[in-house]
Amino acid sequence: MILLQISAAQGPDECALAVKKALERLIQEAEELGITTNILEEERGQRSGTLCSVLVAIQGKNEQQLFERWHGTIKWICESPWRKGVGRKNWFIGVTQFEPELMQEITESEIRFETLKASGPGGQHVNKTESAVRAIHVASGISIKVQSERSQHANRRLARLLLGHRLQQQQNRYQVQLRAERRLFHHQVERGNAVRTFIGIKFIPQS
């Protein structure tokens, strides 16, 4: 499994729209390659239908191929749907790998686990057995649902890691180390040398 963060960096609303469109395109390409996807965390933009950033898990035989296809700067060439007449037509977002080992570990004794059936989009890739897990941090009440893995054991492990991440955020909203590491990436989206370019409001890949 690979965790990918798609970020609008410090870009305007158009970049947040590009993140949303990139996520949709990535999920489509993942399905074509037989890769499962699961959105773990998202930060919504100010405008409806936009995302400042999203954390998505990809898993499958061809996950590395998909990762290499997307990792880096993504360029979107399109007129702004909101600011007519604006000269700028090039918008940039970034895709990077999110390292689970950066997250704070918490022990299973601190967590109450509940099992449930996987739900949501995914067609034949959704696991119908009760392998999905809801993990609740007893002391804080923080909870998270994970269904990206096929086994309950793997989902429990990922849930524990993500709970550690959420706990860090609550304990120190302004100075948490993980948030600082992730925010650092937001300032590093390179305006150029794009690994992929998409064109128009339909986000069509440039051949």
Side-chain angles (χ1 to χ4, degrees):
M1 180 180 63
I2 299 175
L3 302 184
L4 290 180
Q5 182 188 5
I6 310 174
S7 173
Q10 301 300 308
D13 292 336
E14 290 82 359
C15 292
L17 179 59
V19 170
K20 175 68 171 179
K21 290 183 175 295
L23 174 63
E24 293 170 349
R25 174 68 63 172
L26 184 146
I27 291 174
Q28 176 185 330
E29 293 182 2
E31 290 179 350
E32 293 170 354
L33 292 171
I35 297 170
T36 60
T37 59
N38 188 33
I39 298 172
L40 302 177
E41 185 176 276
E42 61 183 25
E43 181 182 344
R44 298 187 182 277
Q46 293 184 346
R47 291 183 182 268
S48 176
T50 65
L51 291 171
C52 290
S53 69
V54 61
L55 182 64
V56 57
I58 62 172
Q59 184 175 25
K61 181 179 179 181
N62 299 310
E63 64 183 35
Q64 187 63 33
Q65 176 185 342
L66 184 65
F67 166 72
E68 292 174 358
R69 184 186 298 178
W70 283 90
H71 185 228
T73 297
I74 305 298
K75 180 181 179 180
W76 182 34
I77 304 174
C78 185
E79 292 186 0
S80 171
W82 302 298
R83 297 183 287 173
K84 302 301 182 182
V86 173
R88 179 178 174 184
K89 295 181 180 180
N90 296 333
W91 316 99
F92 296 90
I93 62 174
V95 181
T96 190
Q97 186 171 8
F98 183 50
E99 301 290 352
E101 56 267 24
L102 294 177
M103 292 182 279
Q104 175 182 323
E105 283 274 8
I106 55 178
T107 64
E108 290 203 7
S109 63
E110 301 176 69
I111 305 169
R112 184 175 77 252
F113 290 99
E114 299 174 355
T115 59
L116 57 158
K117 290 184 179 180
S119 61
Q124 71 271 27
H125 300 300
V126 172
N127 186 7
K128 302 300 183 181
T129 64
E130 291 192 353
S131 62
V133 170
R134 178 177 288 111
I136 304 167
H137 186 246
V138 176
S140 65
I142 297 173
S143 68
I144 188 167
K145 178 184 174 182
V146 175
Q147 62 181 43
S148 60
E149 300 293 301
R150 288 287 177 176
S151 74
Q152 187 180 124
H153 175 77
N155 279 329
R156 285 168 66 102
R157 178 180 178 276
L158 180 55
R160 188 173 72 249
L161 289 170
L162 292 176
L163 271 179
H165 166 46
R166 293 284 179 85
L167 189 60
Q168 281 185 317
Q169 289 182 310
Q170 185 187 68
Q171 290 174 337
N172 192 340
R173 294 182 181 179
Y174 304 106
Q175 300 298 327
V176 60
Q177 180 179 352
L178 177 59
R179 179 61 71 183
E181 291 291 336
R182 291 185 64 188
R183 286 298 182 187
L184 179 61
F185 168 66
H186 287 203
H187 296 277
Q188 295 177 335
V189 174
E190 185 179 0
R191 300 302 194 264
N193 298 322
V195 296
R196 298 189 70 179
T197 299
F198 297 86
I199 301 174
I201 199 67
K202 294 185 178 180
F203 212 72
I204 299 173
Q206 186 179 56
S207 58

